[in-house]
């Protein structure tokens, strides 16, 4: 059985869970407390970060894969039955650009400032959240939701005509922030309509059932009609 | 003619310059002062970052590409005459993992602390360098050079048997730090031997001729026998 070493509210791990489910690939989740720096885990990924995917059902060899962008490319190459980076090289570049946007820019400007400050710092015993960081995250999220709205006015899905890695990367981040109730959906109708479509996919269901000890999500988190 | 919008001491731009040269693709460089937030540049890349590649020699359409990882994948797909991400899916994942290591972890732990503090902050008028950040960068670089040495003991090149994107990503970062004379080569013989091999490639020559106004590199920077 494939094993995905992960953390519950890591958007990078959630993205890989979505990809695996969209491609209908069975896997088992193992929570990895990366801060323990377990030696067996370090041997799999010297960067000591999740996600790490151990794919023992690959065609020729057991694959040990680290870094969510790398894992996404690998899954696309080995399991092309359901493509998530599709089209011409330019269309594929656009899907990759948007995935990198959410995993880079959105993560730095929003996810870290909200999920990082409110949940991860407590989990790691790094002290209280910085109110300055939270203010920045709450402010920055608006222009990213506007950007999603802008894209959705022009395209069916963020990256083009089809659901792609771009949608999964974006929704993975937003799902983490939605867990702490910090997405101002009501001010961003187009983004909300897009998220409702991603959220209603069967691949998304397991994420909506996630519950972190000591912090319950708001009622609308798992509601498909939020 | 292809145009690469870039900054001289951006390792991400240098990586693309190396890839283009290795693939023998002609291009013109245009320096982009991203902090000016030029509207024509923002239209090409709303993230307002370099590198941006405009490829008007692509087979079907002019391609406007942003994000160095995205550009690297695009060039690999459209110009496969000289592969830089090669082999089985697992071998390709290893090359991508190491590229991501240098563009992510190394950048955060070393490049930003040294090149960012010493050069970019002055360029942007953001005040003097933080001595704490510089100390961290000077300390962190050792274990990355050790890691390069560890890989080179086991492989011909960082990612495997062939020169790959992993070597170009790593060398692009190290070349920026070497420009300010902060790579302790003499304490890391294996890494130095590997860098000498990358540095002696014709694709590397233009980087060695770079000169930033107001800060000359040390004499060994352009010396192939350093």
């Amino acid at each position: 059985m494939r094993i995905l070493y992960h953390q519950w509210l890591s958007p990078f791990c959630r993205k890989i869970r979505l990809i695996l489910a969209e491609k209908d690939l069975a896997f088992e989740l193992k929570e990895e407390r990366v801060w323990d720096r377990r030696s067996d885990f370090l041997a799999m990924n010297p960067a000591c970060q999740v996600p790490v995917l151990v794919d023992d059902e690959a065609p020729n060899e057991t694959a040990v894969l680290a870094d969510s962008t790398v894992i996404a490319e690998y899954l696309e190459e080995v399991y092309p039955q359901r493509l998530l980076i599709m089209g011409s090289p330019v269309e594929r570049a656009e899907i990759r650009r948007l995935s990198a946007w959410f995993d880079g820019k959105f993560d730095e400007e929003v996810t870290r400032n909200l999920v990082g400050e409110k949940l991860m710092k407590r989990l790691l015993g790094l002290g209280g959240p910085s109110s300055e960081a939270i203010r920045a995250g709450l402010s920055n999220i608006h222009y990213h939701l506007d950007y999603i709205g802008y894209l959705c006015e022009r395209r069916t899905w963020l990256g083009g005509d089809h659901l792609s890695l771009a949608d999964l990367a974006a929704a993975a981040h937003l799902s983490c922030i939605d867990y702490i109730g910090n997405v101002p959906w009501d001010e961003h109708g187009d983004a909300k309509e897009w998220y409702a479509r991603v959220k209603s996919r069967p691949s998304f269901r397991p994420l909506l059932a996630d519950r972190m000890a000591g912090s319950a999500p708001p009622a609308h988190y798992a509601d498909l009609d939020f």
Side-chain angles (χ1 to χ4, degrees), chain A:
Chain A
M1 176 70 100
R2 290 178 198 91
I3 298 174
L4 182 68
Y5 293 88
H6 85 127
Q7 285 168 27
W8 295 106
L9 284 185
S10 153
F12 303 96
C13 298
R14 287 184 159 217
K15 180 179 69 178
I16 301 302
R17 291 165 68 190
L18 291 171
I19 295 171
L20 288 164
E22 285 288 336
K23 287 181 182 283
D24 208 13
L25 300 170
F27 64 101
E28 188 185 321
L29 281 174
K30 285 202 179 162
E31 194 176 357
E32 180 67 33
R33 298 164 51 91
V34 289
W35 48 90
D36 288 343
R37 298 186 67 79
R38 200 164 55 83
S39 59
D40 285 354
F41 185 71
L42 273 168
M44 290 195 287
N45 183 13
C48 203
Q49 291 164 342
V50 285
V52 165
L53 177 67
V54 178
D55 183 5
D56 62 357
E57 299 182 40
N60 298 310
E61 48 184 328
T62 292
V64 180
L65 305 146
D67 184 291
S68 77
T69 303
V70 174
I71 297 172
E73 295 284 347
Y74 166 88
L75 291 172
E76 200 66 2
E77 290 178 4
V78 177
Y79 304 103
Q81 61 263 39
R82 163 84 176 83
L83 286 176
L84 293 167
I85 308 173
M86 68 283 277
S88 72
V90 169
E91 289 166 338
R92 291 160 61 83
E94 176 64 357
I95 291 168
R96 288 187 176 113
R97 179 186 73 82
L98 288 167
S99 307
W101 175 289
F102 288 98
D103 283 344
K105 196 169 170 61
F106 186 93
D107 183 60
E108 196 170 317
E109 297 176 357
V110 183
T111 312
R112 290 191 204 186
N113 282 330
L114 298 176
V115 181
E117 290 295 326
K118 291 188 172 181
L119 281 184
M120 298 313 289
K121 261 174 121 173
R122 193 177 63 197
L123 195 65
L124 298 174
L126 293 176
S130 146
S131 57
E132 192 186 357
I134 290 173
R135 246 195 327 271
L138 293 175
S139 162
N140 293 337
I141 195 170
H142 286 286
Y143 83 82
H144 287 280
L145 291 168
D146 283 342
Y147 190 43
I148 289 174
Y150 168 91
L151 292 169
C152 287
E153 274 178 20
R154 286 155 181 80
R155 303 168 175 176
T156 313
W157 297 94
L158 296 190
D161 292 338
H162 305 282
L163 176 106
S164 75
L165 182 64
D167 300 285
L168 303 186
H173 280 272
L174 283 162
S175 74
C176 293
I177 297 160
D178 204 30
Y179 189 95
I180 55 173
N182 278 165
V183 186
W185 292 121
D186 290 343
E187 298 169 53
H188 299 274
D190 287 344
K192 182 179 178 176
E193 188 276 331
W194 160 82
Y195 187 66
R197 279 188 285 138
V198 184
K199 194 176 175 178
S200 65
R201 296 185 73 84
S203 64
F204 221 83
R205 236 171 263 156
L207 273 57
L208 300 179
D210 285 355
R211 292 295 175 273
M212 261 186 71
S215 64
H220 78 263
Y221 171 74
D223 186 358
L224 294 183
D225 193 24
F226 58 108

